[in-house]
Amino acid sequence: QVQLVESGGGLVQAGGSLRLTCAVSGSDFEIHALGWYRQAPGKTRDVVATISTRGTPSYAPSMKGRFTISRDNAKKSVELQIDNLTPEDTAIYYCNAYNTVDSKVYWGQGTQVTVSS
């Protein structure tokens, strides 16, 4: 069983930066691909970025340039750096873990990011 706990969200002014962290508990961290998703009010939950078990990042086309995903296998965590925030980035950001062996998927409870103009 894997549990995910996000932190680092908050209220920030446009143009600012945030670093979101997801702490992952449970076994076999290294076999989980990890990702960040976001869901704005009234919209679907969309992928922001993912990172493979080997540390290869991948970004949604609209997210390239301002988002940086990284993972720390020693700390069992995944982070998302967001730069030059805009009000359109306002959403709940969710951490995701995908077990590459048994295909189980896990979600965190989400962290709210609010960007003021």
PDB file of all heavy atoms in Angstrom, residues 51-84:
ATOM      1  N   ILE A  51       7.131  11.548 -14.091  1.00  0.00           N
ATOM      2  CA  ILE A  51       8.548  11.199 -14.069  1.00  0.00           C
ATOM      3  C   ILE A  51       8.656   9.688 -13.905  1.00  0.00           C
ATOM      4  O   ILE A  51       7.984   9.096 -13.065  1.00  0.00           O
ATOM      5  CB  ILE A  51       9.307  11.974 -12.973  1.00  0.00           C
ATOM      6  CG1 ILE A  51      10.816  11.763 -13.100  1.00  0.00           C
ATOM      7  CG2 ILE A  51       8.790  11.648 -11.587  1.00  0.00           C
ATOM      8  CD1 ILE A  51      11.626  12.785 -12.306  1.00  0.00           C
ATOM      9  N   SER A  52       9.479   9.090 -14.728  1.00  0.00           N
ATOM     10  CA  SER A  52       9.574   7.636 -14.758  1.00  0.00           C
ATOM     11  C   SER A  52      10.375   7.119 -13.564  1.00  0.00           C
ATOM     12  O   SER A  52      10.967   7.881 -12.795  1.00  0.00           O
ATOM     13  CB  SER A  52      10.247   7.193 -16.067  1.00  0.00           C
ATOM     14  OG  SER A  52      11.633   7.502 -16.028  1.00  0.00           O
ATOM     15  N   THR A  53      10.398   5.809 -13.445  1.00  0.00           N
ATOM     16  CA  THR A  53      11.184   5.194 -12.375  1.00  0.00           C
ATOM     17  C   THR A  53      12.675   5.503 -12.526  1.00  0.00           C
ATOM     18  O   THR A  53      13.413   5.507 -11.549  1.00  0.00           O
ATOM     19  CB  THR A  53      10.985   3.679 -12.355  1.00  0.00           C
ATOM     20  OG1 THR A  53      11.339   3.154 -13.646  1.00  0.00           O
ATOM     21  CG2 THR A  53       9.527   3.312 -12.052  1.00  0.00           C
ATOM     22  N   ARG A  54      13.085   5.801 -13.738  1.00  0.00           N
ATOM     23  CA  ARG A  54      14.502   6.121 -13.986  1.00  0.00           C
ATOM     24  C   ARG A  54      14.778   7.622 -13.889  1.00  0.00           C
ATOM     25  O   ARG A  54      15.911   8.054 -14.109  1.00  0.00           O
ATOM     26  CB  ARG A  54      14.924   5.607 -15.353  1.00  0.00           C
ATOM     27  CG  ARG A  54      14.886   4.101 -15.470  1.00  0.00           C
ATOM     28  CD  ARG A  54      15.453   3.631 -16.797  1.00  0.00           C
ATOM     29  NE  ARG A  54      15.494   2.175 -16.899  1.00  0.00           N
ATOM     30  CZ  ARG A  54      16.031   1.510 -17.911  1.00  0.00           C
ATOM     31  NH1 ARG A  54      16.559   2.172 -18.921  1.00  0.00           N
ATOM     32  NH2 ARG A  54      16.027   0.197 -17.922  1.00  0.00           N
ATOM     33  N   GLY A  55      13.720   8.398 -13.618  1.00  0.00           N
ATOM     34  CA  GLY A  55      13.918   9.835 -13.452  1.00  0.00           C
ATOM     35  C   GLY A  55      13.750  10.648 -14.721  1.00  0.00           C
ATOM     36  O   GLY A  55      14.125  11.825 -14.756  1.00  0.00           O
ATOM     37  N   THR A  56      13.165  10.048 -15.747  1.00  0.00           N
ATOM     38  CA  THR A  56      12.933  10.782 -16.991  1.00  0.00           C
ATOM     39  C   THR A  56      11.628  11.571 -16.897  1.00  0.00           C
ATOM     40  O   THR A  56      10.569  10.980 -16.712  1.00  0.00           O
ATOM     41  CB  THR A  56      12.850   9.816 -18.179  1.00  0.00           C
ATOM     42  OG1 THR A  56      14.057   9.058 -18.255  1.00  0.00           O
ATOM     43  CG2 THR A  56      12.658  10.584 -19.474  1.00  0.00           C
ATOM     44  N   PRO A  57      11.703  12.898 -17.007  1.00  0.00           N
ATOM     45  CA  PRO A  57      10.486  13.703 -16.899  1.00  0.00           C
ATOM     46  C   PRO A  57       9.734  13.799 -18.227  1.00  0.00           C
ATOM     47  O   PRO A  57      10.330  13.683 -19.306  1.00  0.00           O
ATOM     48  CB  PRO A  57      11.017  15.078 -16.492  1.00  0.00           C
ATOM     49  CG  PRO A  57      12.375  15.141 -17.127  1.00  0.00           C
ATOM     50  CD  PRO A  57      12.906  13.732 -17.121  1.00  0.00           C
ATOM     51  N   SER A  58       8.453  14.038 -18.082  1.00  0.00           N
ATOM     52  CA  SER A  58       7.609  14.273 -19.249  1.00  0.00           C
ATOM     53  C   SER A  58       6.582  15.320 -18.854  1.00  0.00           C
ATOM     54  O   SER A  58       6.035  15.265 -17.752  1.00  0.00           O
ATOM     55  CB  SER A  58       6.929  12.976 -19.689  1.00  0.00           C
ATOM     56  OG  SER A  58       6.074  13.198 -20.792  1.00  0.00           O
ATOM     57  N   TYR A  59       6.307  16.262 -19.757  1.00  0.00           N
ATOM     58  CA  TYR A  59       5.404  17.357 -19.446  1.00  0.00           C
ATOM     59  C   TYR A  59       4.271  17.416 -20.457  1.00  0.00           C
ATOM     60  O   TYR A  59       4.470  17.155 -21.649  1.00  0.00           O
ATOM     61  CB  TYR A  59       6.169  18.687 -19.458  1.00  0.00           C
ATOM     62  CG  TYR A  59       7.284  18.738 -18.447  1.00  0.00           C
ATOM     63  CD1 TYR A  59       8.589  18.379 -18.806  1.00  0.00           C
ATOM     64  CD2 TYR A  59       7.041  19.136 -17.139  1.00  0.00           C
ATOM     65  CE1 TYR A  59       9.610  18.408 -17.879  1.00  0.00           C
ATOM     66  CE2 TYR A  59       8.062  19.176 -16.202  1.00  0.00           C
ATOM     67  CZ  TYR A  59       9.339  18.806 -16.578  1.00  0.00           C
ATOM     68  OH  TYR A  59      10.353  18.832 -15.655  1.00  0.00           O
ATOM     69  N   ALA A  60       3.102  17.801 -19.962  1.00  0.00           N
ATOM     70  CA  ALA A  60       2.008  18.093 -20.882  1.00  0.00           C
ATOM     71  C   ALA A  60       2.452  19.245 -21.767  1.00  0.00           C
ATOM     72  O   ALA A  60       3.156  20.161 -21.302  1.00  0.00           O
ATOM     73  CB  ALA A  60       0.746  18.456 -20.104  1.00  0.00           C
ATOM     74  N   PRO A  61       2.072  19.239 -23.032  1.00  0.00           N
ATOM     75  CA  PRO A  61       2.567  20.263 -23.965  1.00  0.00           C
ATOM     76  C   PRO A  61       2.353  21.695 -23.465  1.00  0.00           C
ATOM     77  O   PRO A  61       3.222  22.551 -23.644  1.00  0.00           O
ATOM     78  CB  PRO A  61       1.762  19.991 -25.233  1.00  0.00           C
ATOM     79  CG  PRO A  61       1.473  18.526 -25.167  1.00  0.00           C
ATOM     80  CD  PRO A  61       1.257  18.233 -23.715  1.00  0.00           C
ATOM     81  N   SER A  62       1.235  21.942 -22.834  1.00  0.00           N
ATOM     82  CA  SER A  62       0.946  23.308 -22.380  1.00  0.00           C
ATOM     83  C   SER A  62       1.690  23.666 -21.108  1.00  0.00           C
ATOM     84  O   SER A  62       1.673  24.823 -20.691  1.00  0.00           O
ATOM     85  CB  SER A  62      -0.556  23.475 -22.154  1.00  0.00           C
ATOM     86  OG  SER A  62      -1.003  22.583 -21.151  1.00  0.00           O
ATOM     87  N   MET A  63       2.355  22.699 -20.498  1.00  0.00           N
ATOM     88  CA  MET A  63       3.034  22.923 -19.224  1.00  0.00           C
ATOM     89  C   MET A  63       4.544  23.076 -19.372  1.00  0.00           C
ATOM     90  O   MET A  63       5.242  23.344 -18.400  1.00  0.00           O
ATOM     91  CB  MET A  63       2.755  21.752 -18.274  1.00  0.00           C
ATOM     92  CG  MET A  63       1.305  21.412 -18.109  1.00  0.00           C
ATOM     93  SD  MET A  63       0.359  22.727 -17.321  1.00  0.00           S
ATOM     94  CE  MET A  63      -1.279  21.972 -17.330  1.00  0.00           C
ATOM     95  N   LYS A  64       5.057  22.912 -20.567  1.00  0.00           N
ATOM     96  CA  LYS A  64       6.499  22.979 -20.758  1.00  0.00           C
ATOM     97  C   LYS A  64       7.006  24.394 -20.509  1.00  0.00           C
ATOM     98  O   LYS A  64       6.391  25.373 -20.919  1.00  0.00           O
ATOM     99  CB  LYS A  64       6.854  22.533 -22.173  1.00  0.00           C
ATOM    100  CG  LYS A  64       6.667  21.044 -22.401  1.00  0.00           C
ATOM    101  CD  LYS A  64       7.112  20.637 -23.803  1.00  0.00           C
ATOM    102  CE  LYS A  64       6.952  19.136 -23.985  1.00  0.00           C
ATOM    103  NZ  LYS A  64       7.376  18.715 -25.353  1.00  0.00           N
ATOM    104  N   GLY A  65       8.124  24.467 -19.813  1.00  0.00           N
ATOM    105  CA  GLY A  65       8.801  25.744 -19.632  1.00  0.00           C
ATOM    106  C   GLY A  65       8.705  26.309 -18.233  1.00  0.00           C
ATOM    107  O   GLY A  65       9.668  26.855 -17.720  1.00  0.00           O
ATOM    108  N   ARG A  66       7.540  26.189 -17.583  1.00  0.00           N
ATOM    109  CA  ARG A  66       7.378  26.791 -16.259  1.00  0.00           C
ATOM    110  C   ARG A  66       7.304  25.752 -15.148  1.00  0.00           C
ATOM    111  O   ARG A  66       7.319  26.126 -13.968  1.00  0.00           O
ATOM    112  CB  ARG A  66       6.114  27.640 -16.218  1.00  0.00           C
ATOM    113  CG  ARG A  66       6.120  28.816 -17.170  1.00  0.00           C
ATOM    114  CD  ARG A  66       4.925  29.733 -16.901  1.00  0.00           C
ATOM    115  NE  ARG A  66       3.653  29.057 -17.115  1.00  0.00           N
ATOM    116  CZ  ARG A  66       2.775  28.812 -16.146  1.00  0.00           C
ATOM    117  NH1 ARG A  66       3.030  29.174 -14.894  1.00  0.00           N
ATOM    118  NH2 ARG A  66       1.632  28.210 -16.428  1.00  0.00           N
ATOM    119  N   PHE A  67       7.221  24.487 -15.517  1.00  0.00           N
ATOM    120  CA  PHE A  67       7.065  23.419 -14.537  1.00  0.00           C
ATOM    121  C   PHE A  67       8.284  22.500 -14.597  1.00  0.00           C
ATOM    122  O   PHE A  67       8.760  22.165 -15.679  1.00  0.00           O
ATOM    123  CB  PHE A  67       5.802  22.600 -14.824  1.00  0.00           C
ATOM    124  CG  PHE A  67       4.524  23.386 -14.697  1.00  0.00           C
ATOM    125  CD1 PHE A  67       4.077  24.197 -15.732  1.00  0.00           C
ATOM    126  CD2 PHE A  67       3.781  23.310 -13.535  1.00  0.00           C
ATOM    127  CE1 PHE A  67       2.899  24.925 -15.606  1.00  0.00           C
ATOM    128  CE2 PHE A  67       2.597  24.026 -13.402  1.00  0.00           C
ATOM    129  CZ  PHE A  67       2.161  24.836 -14.439  1.00  0.00           C
ATOM    130  N   THR A  68       8.752  22.104 -13.427  1.00  0.00           N
ATOM    131  CA  THR A  68       9.869  21.172 -13.349  1.00  0.00           C
ATOM    132  C   THR A  68       9.546  20.097 -12.316  1.00  0.00           C
ATOM    133  O   THR A  68       9.309  20.414 -11.161  1.00  0.00           O
ATOM    134  CB  THR A  68      11.174  21.873 -12.961  1.00  0.00           C
ATOM    135  OG1 THR A  68      11.443  22.941 -13.873  1.00  0.00           O
ATOM    136  CG2 THR A  68      12.335  20.890 -12.984  1.00  0.00           C
ATOM    137  N   ILE A  69       9.539  18.847 -12.768  1.00  0.00           N
ATOM    138  CA  ILE A  69       9.272  17.729 -11.866  1.00  0.00           C
ATOM    139  C   ILE A  69      10.585  17.022 -11.549  1.00  0.00           C
ATOM    140  O   ILE A  69      11.466  16.916 -12.406  1.00  0.00           O
ATOM    141  CB  ILE A  69       8.255  16.743 -12.491  1.00  0.00           C
ATOM    142  CG1 ILE A  69       7.808  15.692 -11.467  1.00  0.00           C
ATOM    143  CG2 ILE A  69       8.816  16.095 -13.750  1.00  0.00           C
ATOM    144  CD1 ILE A  69       6.648  14.820 -11.951  1.00  0.00           C
ATOM    145  N   SER A  70      10.708  16.565 -10.320  1.00  0.00           N
ATOM    146  CA  SER A  70      11.904  15.828  -9.913  1.00  0.00           C
ATOM    147  C   SER A  70      11.517  14.815  -8.847  1.00  0.00           C
ATOM    148  O   SER A  70      10.499  14.975  -8.164  1.00  0.00           O
ATOM    149  CB  SER A  70      12.967  16.789  -9.382  1.00  0.00           C
ATOM    150  OG  SER A  70      12.493  17.501  -8.255  1.00  0.00           O
ATOM    151  N   ARG A  71      12.324  13.786  -8.716  1.00  0.00           N
ATOM    152  CA  ARG A  71      12.072  12.791  -7.689  1.00  0.00           C
ATOM    153  C   ARG A  71      13.355  12.520  -6.914  1.00  0.00           C
ATOM    154  O   ARG A  71      14.458  12.634  -7.462  1.00  0.00           O
ATOM    155  CB  ARG A  71      11.525  11.484  -8.284  1.00  0.00           C
ATOM    156  CG  ARG A  71      12.474  10.722  -9.187  1.00  0.00           C
ATOM    157  CD  ARG A  71      11.773   9.521  -9.830  1.00  0.00           C
ATOM    158  NE  ARG A  71      11.488   8.475  -8.855  1.00  0.00           N
ATOM    159  CZ  ARG A  71      10.582   7.512  -9.037  1.00  0.00           C
ATOM    160  NH1 ARG A  71       9.872   7.472 -10.155  1.00  0.00           N
ATOM    161  NH2 ARG A  71      10.392   6.588  -8.106  1.00  0.00           N
ATOM    162  N   ASP A  72      13.180  12.180  -5.657  1.00  0.00           N
ATOM    163  CA  ASP A  72      14.308  11.864  -4.785  1.00  0.00           C
ATOM    164  C   ASP A  72      14.037  10.487  -4.194  1.00  0.00           C
ATOM    165  O   ASP A  72      13.223  10.359  -3.285  1.00  0.00           O
ATOM    166  CB  ASP A  72      14.444  12.936  -3.701  1.00  0.00           C
ATOM    167  CG  ASP A  72      15.713  12.771  -2.879  1.00  0.00           C
ATOM    168  OD1 ASP A  72      16.158  11.623  -2.685  1.00  0.00           O
ATOM    169  OD2 ASP A  72      16.246  13.785  -2.417  1.00  0.00           O
ATOM    170  N   ASN A  73      14.702   9.489  -4.716  1.00  0.00           N
ATOM    171  CA  ASN A  73      14.447   8.119  -4.255  1.00  0.00           C
ATOM    172  C   ASN A  73      14.900   7.913  -2.811  1.00  0.00           C
ATOM    173  O   ASN A  73      14.313   7.103  -2.091  1.00  0.00           O
ATOM    174  CB  ASN A  73      15.141   7.117  -5.176  1.00  0.00           C
ATOM    175  CG  ASN A  73      14.451   6.991  -6.522  1.00  0.00           C
ATOM    176  OD1 ASN A  73      13.383   7.571  -6.750  1.00  0.00           O
ATOM    177  ND2 ASN A  73      15.059   6.248  -7.428  1.00  0.00           N
ATOM    178  N   ALA A  74      15.919   8.636  -2.393  1.00  0.00           N
ATOM    179  CA  ALA A  74      16.391   8.497  -1.016  1.00  0.00           C
ATOM    180  C   ALA A  74      15.377   9.062  -0.030  1.00  0.00           C
ATOM    181  O   ALA A  74      15.140   8.493   1.037  1.00  0.00           O
ATOM    182  CB  ALA A  74      17.736   9.190  -0.852  1.00  0.00           C
ATOM    183  N   LYS A  75      14.758  10.172  -0.396  1.00  0.00           N
ATOM    184  CA  LYS A  75      13.762  10.808   0.466  1.00  0.00           C
ATOM    185  C   LYS A  75      12.359  10.301   0.202  1.00  0.00           C
ATOM    186  O   LYS A  75      11.420  10.679   0.906  1.00  0.00           O
ATOM    187  CB  LYS A  75      13.805  12.325   0.291  1.00  0.00           C
ATOM    188  CG  LYS A  75      15.101  12.974   0.746  1.00  0.00           C
ATOM    189  CD  LYS A  75      15.039  14.484   0.582  1.00  0.00           C
ATOM    190  CE  LYS A  75      16.330  15.141   1.064  1.00  0.00           C
ATOM    191  NZ  LYS A  75      16.278  16.616   0.890  1.00  0.00           N
ATOM    192  N   LYS A  76      12.207   9.485  -0.856  1.00  0.00           N
ATOM    193  CA  LYS A  76      10.892   8.961  -1.239  1.00  0.00           C
ATOM    194  C   LYS A  76       9.906  10.113  -1.448  1.00  0.00           C
ATOM    195  O   LYS A  76       8.837  10.175  -0.807  1.00  0.00           O
ATOM    196  CB  LYS A  76      10.375   7.956  -0.217  1.00  0.00           C
ATOM    197  CG  LYS A  76      11.257   6.723  -0.093  1.00  0.00           C
ATOM    198  CD  LYS A  76      10.773   5.753   0.970  1.00  0.00           C
ATOM    199  CE  LYS A  76       9.503   5.065   0.615  1.00  0.00           C
ATOM    200  NZ  LYS A  76       9.126   4.019   1.584  1.00  0.00           N
ATOM    201  N   SER A  77      10.276  11.005  -2.328  1.00  0.00           N
ATOM    202  CA  SER A  77       9.431  12.160  -2.582  1.00  0.00           C
ATOM    203  C   SER A  77       9.508  12.563  -4.050  1.00  0.00           C
ATOM    204  O   SER A  77      10.436  12.201  -4.773  1.00  0.00           O
ATOM    205  CB  SER A  77       9.849  13.341  -1.708  1.00  0.00           C
ATOM    206  OG  SER A  77      11.140  13.790  -2.058  1.00  0.00           O
ATOM    207  N   VAL A  78       8.516  13.312  -4.447  1.00  0.00           N
ATOM    208  CA  VAL A  78       8.488  13.908  -5.780  1.00  0.00           C
ATOM    209  C   VAL A  78       8.083  15.369  -5.624  1.00  0.00           C
ATOM    210  O   VAL A  78       7.228  15.695  -4.795  1.00  0.00           O
ATOM    211  CB  VAL A  78       7.527  13.155  -6.720  1.00  0.00           C
ATOM    212  CG1 VAL A  78       6.105  13.112  -6.172  1.00  0.00           C
ATOM    213  CG2 VAL A  78       7.551  13.743  -8.128  1.00  0.00           C
ATOM    214  N   GLU A  79       8.714  16.235  -6.386  1.00  0.00           N
ATOM    215  CA  GLU A  79       8.478  17.663  -6.257  1.00  0.00           C
ATOM    216  C   GLU A  79       8.071  18.253  -7.601  1.00  0.00           C
ATOM    217  O   GLU A  79       8.398  17.719  -8.661  1.00  0.00           O
ATOM    218  CB  GLU A  79       9.718  18.362  -5.722  1.00  0.00           C
ATOM    219  CG  GLU A  79      10.092  17.934  -4.313  1.00  0.00           C
ATOM    220  CD  GLU A  79      11.200  18.775  -3.717  1.00  0.00           C
ATOM    221  OE1 GLU A  79      12.014  19.303  -4.482  1.00  0.00           O
ATOM    222  OE2 GLU A  79      11.245  18.908  -2.482  1.00  0.00           O
ATOM    223  N   LEU A  80       7.371  19.352  -7.502  1.00  0.00           N
ATOM    224  CA  LEU A  80       6.988  20.106  -8.687  1.00  0.00           C
ATOM    225  C   LEU A  80       7.306  21.571  -8.439  1.00  0.00           C
ATOM    226  O   LEU A  80       6.731  22.185  -7.550  1.00  0.00           O
ATOM    227  CB  LEU A  80       5.501  19.937  -9.005  1.00  0.00           C
ATOM    228  CG  LEU A  80       5.027  20.628 -10.283  1.00  0.00           C
ATOM    229  CD1 LEU A  80       5.592  19.918 -11.516  1.00  0.00           C
ATOM    230  CD2 LEU A  80       3.499  20.682 -10.347  1.00  0.00           C
ATOM    231  N   GLN A  81       8.219  22.096  -9.198  1.00  0.00           N
ATOM    232  CA  GLN A  81       8.567  23.515  -9.156  1.00  0.00           C
ATOM    233  C   GLN A  81       7.729  24.237 -10.204  1.00  0.00           C
ATOM    234  O   GLN A  81       7.705  23.825 -11.375  1.00  0.00           O
ATOM    235  CB  GLN A  81      10.059  23.716  -9.439  1.00  0.00           C
ATOM    236  CG  GLN A  81      10.502  25.160  -9.528  1.00  0.00           C
ATOM    237  CD  GLN A  81      10.540  25.849  -8.180  1.00  0.00           C
ATOM    238  OE1 GLN A  81      10.785  25.216  -7.157  1.00  0.00           O
ATOM    239  NE2 GLN A  81      10.308  27.145  -8.177  1.00  0.00           N
ATOM    240  N   ILE A  82       7.040  25.287  -9.771  1.00  0.00           N
ATOM    241  CA  ILE A  82       6.228  26.070 -10.700  1.00  0.00           C
ATOM    242  C   ILE A  82       6.716  27.514 -10.665  1.00  0.00           C
ATOM    243  O   ILE A  82       6.727  28.141  -9.599  1.00  0.00           O
ATOM    244  CB  ILE A  82       4.727  26.043 -10.327  1.00  0.00           C
ATOM    245  CG1 ILE A  82       4.255  24.629  -9.981  1.00  0.00           C
ATOM    246  CG2 ILE A  82       3.899  26.593 -11.484  1.00  0.00           C
ATOM    247  CD1 ILE A  82       2.834  24.571  -9.436  1.00  0.00           C
ATOM    248  N   ASP A  83       7.121  28.007 -11.789  1.00  0.00           N
ATOM    249  CA  ASP A  83       7.627  29.377 -11.890  1.00  0.00           C
ATOM    250  C   ASP A  83       6.675  30.257 -12.687  1.00  0.00           C
ATOM    251  O   ASP A  83       5.867  29.773 -13.470  1.00  0.00           O
ATOM    252  CB  ASP A  83       9.007  29.368 -12.549  1.00  0.00           C
ATOM    253  CG  ASP A  83      10.041  28.611 -11.736  1.00  0.00           C
ATOM    254  OD1 ASP A  83      10.065  28.790 -10.507  1.00  0.00           O
ATOM    255  OD2 ASP A  83      10.798  27.831 -12.327  1.00  0.00           O
ATOM    256  N   ASN A  84       6.814  31.563 -12.472  1.00  0.00           N
ATOM    257  CA  ASN A  84       6.017  32.549 -13.204  1.00  0.00           C
ATOM    258  C   ASN A  84       4.532  32.182 -13.186  1.00  0.00           C
ATOM    259  O   ASN A  84       3.882  32.066 -14.227  1.00  0.00           O
ATOM    260  CB  ASN A  84       6.522  32.661 -14.639  1.00  0.00           C
ATOM    261  CG  ASN A  84       5.985  33.889 -15.343  1.00  0.00           C
ATOM    262  OD1 ASN A  84       5.549  34.844 -14.707  1.00  0.00           O
ATOM    263  ND2 ASN A  84       5.983  33.858 -16.661  1.00  0.00           N
TER     264      ASN A  84
END
